[in-house]
Amino acid sequence: MHRWLIACSLAAAAAVALAAEQETVIRVDVNLVRVLATVKNAAGELVGSLNRDDFEILDNGAPQEIAVFERHTEQPLSVVLMVDTSGSTGKELKYEIEAVGRFLKALFAEGNPADAVALYSFNYQVTSHNHFTRNRRAIELSLKTLKSGAGTALYDAIYLAAAELEQREGRRVMVIVTDGGDTVSSKNFHGALEAAQMADAVIYPVLVMPVTNPAGRNIGGENALINLATATGGRVSFPSIGPELDTAFAGIVRDLRTQYLLGYYPRNVLPTANRFHNIEVRVRRPNLRVSARSGYYGDTEFPKAGRQER
């Protein structure tokens, strides 16, 4: 037994010596950053025929190599549908609910069988009615129970929905049906935006405008919604009650069915003090406009991707 232990020790020592003579390589694992993008031409028409080489991505100004590319991506959709039930929506709520029902039908009619929708409403408080489901009937029944009340806790709704979205695989989207800005949230604009960006969520506000006269409109609320959409790669619709509302929802469905998925492993990225990385997505073809999120929260500094020697 004593001789056997000595032999094992000698073998182990030899193995260590041999390993020391060989090159030591450390593999650096860097998280994949995923970016959803939609592209339109000068006429506002969706462009879904671009290739990987038509895009370029910069992370804090550093060009990145696109490692993942999907055209008309079929990654499953997780959509949080958020309906404003504040007091000012009373007259329009019935028509909004009917249009939302038609939107759900169109959303589930095509696409990935794993697509799912969660329903939230918000007035002075935020209520989660349905967790992610494909049961359209269950969501429609919940929609019929919605009643208007005082207050508009929009930012709280975004913050809470983002926490649920963050656990989902695939694409993450918020569709917000509202008539104005936040009034009672404990969270502020920046807290809501950070939560959405942490969840990699794209925000599509549908701003139903009961007041079209500039003197009576909530311009501050409109600008906040525009900024939320722009920073996450979505867009704002400004329909009135009626056919325009259906057109707005149909446009969102088209966007979601014509998205590009771009992914890259950050390399040579300059450090940031607040963990926020600015993303710029460009299209090399002229007269095309790309919509994508403005950035993400990550490490303060990424090492160079690949193999590093010690």
Side-chain angles (χ1 to χ4, degrees), residues 192-267:
L193 176 57
E194 179 175 348
Q197 288 174 324
M198 291 287 287
D200 294 347
V202 182
I203 298 180
Y204 285 91
V206 178
L207 181 53
V208 183
M209 301 175 61
V211 179
T212 57
N213 187 330
R217 286 165 53 184
N218 184 344
I219 302 299
E222 292 177 25
N223 289 334
L225 290 167
I226 292 171
N227 290 332
L228 285 166
T230 301
T232 59
R235 61 180 176 83
V236 183
S237 304
F238 298 90
S240 58
I241 291 296
E244 286 187 13
L245 191 52
D246 287 324
T247 301
F249 282 124
I252 294 173
V253 173
R254 285 195 299 271
D255 279 11
L256 297 178
R257 300 302 180 215
T258 322
Q259 283 181 320
Y260 295 89
L261 174 62
L262 312 172
Y264 66 94
Y265 295 95
R267 57 184 302 162

Side-chain angles (χ1 to χ4, degrees), residues 139-167:
I139 300 174
E140 290 173 342
L141 289 174
S142 296
L143 285 168
K144 292 179 179 179
T145 68
L146 299 185
K147 299 185 185 305
S148 57
T152 308
L154 170 63
Y155 298 150
D156 285 351
I158 293 173
Y159 186 88
L160 293 171
E164 186 172 3
L165 262 180
E166 200 167 358
Q167 310 304 316

